[in-house]
Amino acid sequence: MAIMVLGLTAAVQSHGQEAPKSPLVTDPVYTKPQHLVDIDHGRRLNIYCRGSGAPTVVFDAGLGESTSTWGLVQPAIAVKTRTCSYDRAGLGFSDPATRPGTTLNIADDLHRLLQAAHIAPPYILVGHSSAGMNVRVFADRYPKEVVGLVLIDPSHEDQSQREWKIGPPNWNGYAEWEASLKEQRLCVDEAKHGFVKGTEAYKKCVPEPDPYMSQAINDAATRVWSTASWQSAALSERENIFYKSADETRATRRDFGDMPIIVLTHAPYPKAKDETQEIRDQRTLVWEQMHNEVAAMSTHGVNEIVSKTGHFIQLDRPQIVIDAIEQVMAIAKSQSQQSQPALPR
């Protein structure tokens, strides 16, 4: 039975709607580094900022993804405030990772990046898929700097434990996940020797072009995906997501007070060929329940079910994401104004 890992970006993107007749993200800015910032004695991360104002909206992409995944959302938000998307270590145009891709390391890298780039708080953090855990850890670690969260079909620290209990008799989700990691480790070895287009290793390890992206963006991405640094970084994040990263996320607080949190949930997921409708319904229910729990961490939390989309809501239905960010911005600004002392008359 093929393992179903909801909310964890695979190497190959999966969209819920038909591919667009022409690419939607075409800005050539995504074909090269936007701004490489030294965060640790020569180790640089790529960041792309546009717009002005406060709070700053910071975007963190899903596993293996880069700044281009925000190409339909960031420009719209940048009209109203400053926005910054970035590539995690080893991904996109950032330098190779020098430590494991755990949520704490990722949050620390992002904080160093924002400081080194002189991007002051407050921040609204937007995280897709696996980055939904990253931004929660960041918000827990730097509570005075974060005024809102938007989580797009986010991974959850308990999803492996809950989902792997759902399946046919004798199905072992843990064993299947470990087998997938073993295969990806072989991809790292292949990358070190260099991929040859058209070979089985290339087909297995290098993602297909994304129909939402232009040819130039896909060509640049394919060159990145073929590197040992990208293969290693993506593997490290996957090796940790259900283990150390899950533990680190599980250790964060469960009460964010009245800080606005909007969770966007893609549901229901379509039934896979090798699962029954009953199993799919159970998994959909668990997925929604986990997101309800995250939304309940705030008195201004909500989980919105988004239909007619795939896992990449920011590409399939970008206006939904734009609206959610603008709503969190409005609540955060209102709260900031209310907390300011009244001027003497």
Side-chain angles (χ1 to χ4, degrees), residues 292-305:
N292 285 338
E293 292 167 9
V294 174
M297 294 177 186
S298 168
T299 56
H300 280 86
V302 63
N303 177 25
E304 179 180 348
I305 306 300

Side-chain angles (χ1 to χ4, degrees), residues 11 16 34 55 60 69-70 97 111 138 189 221-222 250 255 266 278 280 304 321 325:
Q34 292 98 33
D60 193 1
T69 196
W70 305 112
H111 194 252
F138 187 106
D189 293 336
T222 298
R250 197 173 291 116
D255 184 0
H266 159 217
E278 181 182 4
R280 170 44 46 205
E304 179 180 348
V321 178
I325 296 171

Side-chain angles (χ1 to χ4, degrees), residues 17-137:
Q17 298 178 318
E18 293 183 5
K21 295 181 180 179
S22 59
L24 299 180
V25 182
T26 60
D27 193 334
V29 73
Y30 298 117
T31 64
K32 56 188 176 181
Q34 292 98 33
H35 180 40
L36 291 170
V37 178
D38 187 337
I39 68 164
D40 183 21
H41 300 91
R43 185 166 65 94
R44 305 169 303 169
L45 295 186
N46 178 48
I47 188 169
Y48 175 46
C49 297
R50 57 187 296 179
S52 61
T56 297
V57 177
V58 180
F59 297 90
D60 193 1
L63 193 152
E65 296 298 317
S66 65
T67 57
S68 62
T69 196
W70 305 112
L72 301 180
V73 174
Q74 186 175 358
I77 300 300
V79 174
K80 298 190 174 184
T81 193
R82 179 167 54 177
T83 64
C84 296
S85 56
Y86 82 110
D87 296 326
R88 293 190 298 278
L91 306 179
F93 298 107
S94 289
D95 288 344
T98 58
R99 54 182 177 172
T102 69
T103 54
L104 275 177
N105 286 341
I106 290 169
D108 179 59
D109 271 3
L110 177 56
H111 194 252
R112 290 175 183 231
L113 173 62
L114 294 172
Q115 288 187 318
H118 305 293
I119 301 166
Y123 310 122
I124 290 174
L125 304 181
V126 182
H128 171 238
S129 194
S130 60
M133 290 167 54
N134 301 340
V135 298
R136 282 177 51 202
V137 170

